[in-house]
Amino acid sequence: MRKFFIFGTKGFAKEVEFMLFENYGLNVEVVFVAADNDEDVGSKINGRYVISEQEFQKTNEKKECFIAVGNPIVRKKIYDKLKDDENISFPNLVHKSAILDSRPVEIGEGSIICSNTSITTNIRIGKFVHVNLNCTIGHDTIIEDFVTCSPASNISGNVKIGQSAYLGTNCIIIEKKTIAANVTIGAGCVVVKDLLESGTYVGMPAKKIK
């Protein structure tokens, strides 16, 4: 039986556990991993045990892990703590209902593609990217490492999104736009110009507020 460890215990972690069940059925064992002082340590989520990071580090087995934390900065910090452990690997997880042209689409390690997402052609998705429910990603788009696309994000063709950007639910990015690293785009935001400075953008059209 294949065994997976999910870092995180909140909503997206639960959805990743559900995706594993949907893709693999009952032939999979799942363990949640939380920070040592997290109140969920020692409990169960959907019948799956929650262990501490310290307990996780004590196991000498080969471990396949998903970092199911929506915040890109936190996700990278967790990865930085784990990356030098030769026993740890980070597979991709692509829900069986996702639509993508697997020939010219590149997906980096540890990335998670949720259900009903459409990824067309000639697209590069970096490492540890989250593409949540019902997203669309158009042709020739580049998404760099640790980006989060919240549910129903709509990314047109020839878009470039920098590392650790966060796209809010139902945001729209029109074609041929560049989004800088560490940009946060608010829910429902419409991006019609390049966003070349890190910060938070909201509104229709998108404007920087901080």
Side-chain angles (χ1 to χ4, degrees), residues 126-194:
K127 300 186 297 183
F128 301 96
V129 171
H130 290 177
V131 182
N132 217 307
L133 308 166
N134 301 308
C135 291
T136 60
I137 303 175
H139 62 89
D140 299 291
T141 285
I142 298 172
I143 300 178
E144 295 187 354
D145 301 344
F146 299 101
V147 169
T148 294
C149 301
S150 298
S153 297
N154 188 329
I155 303 167
S156 299
N158 281 297
V159 169
K160 182 175 181 180
I161 301 175
Q163 181 170 312
S164 298
Y166 184 96
L167 280 57
T169 299
N170 278 316
C171 74
I172 297 172
I173 305 173
I174 69 168
E175 67 275 4
K176 299 180 180 179
K177 296 298 169 278
T178 296
I179 310 300
N182 301 305
V183 162
T184 296
I185 297 174
C189 191
V190 179
V191 178
V192 298
K193 296 181 180 180
D194 293 341

Side-chain angles (χ1 to χ4, degrees), residues 8 27 31 39 41 46 53 66-68 74 79 102 108 129 136 142 171 175 194 205 207:
N27 297 315
V31 179
E39 62 182 10
V41 171
N46 297 335
E53 290 183 4
F66 299 103
I67 307 177
V74 175
Y79 168 71
S102 60
V129 171
T136 60
I142 298 172
C171 74
E175 67 275 4
D194 293 341
K207 294 183 179 180

Side-chain angles (χ1 to χ4, degrees), residues 8 15 23 34 46 55 64-65 78 86 109 117 124 164 171 176 178:
E15 291 182 345
N23 279 13
N46 297 335
E55 187 176 355
E64 295 185 276
C65 300
I78 294 172
E86 295 181 354
E109 68 171 345
T117 284
R124 189 170 81 234
S164 298
C171 74
K176 299 180 180 179
T178 296

Side-chain angles (χ1 to χ4, degrees), residues 112-128:
I112 300 171
I113 312 297
C114 294
S115 62
N116 298 313
T117 284
S118 179
I119 300 172
T120 61
T121 188
N122 298 96
I123 291 165
R124 189 170 81 234
I125 295 174
K127 300 186 297 183
F128 301 96

Side-chain angles (χ1 to χ4, degrees), residues 1 6 12 17 32-33 48 53 59 61 70 74 88 98 100 104 108 119-120 123 129 158 180 185 189-190:
M1 180 179 289
I6 299 175
F12 190 66
E17 186 266 341
F32 290 94
V33 183
R48 316 283 196 177
E53 290 183 4
T59 61
E61 62 188 315
V74 175
I88 295 175
L100 69 156
I119 300 172
T120 61
I123 291 165
V129 171
N158 281 297
I185 297 174
C189 191
V190 179

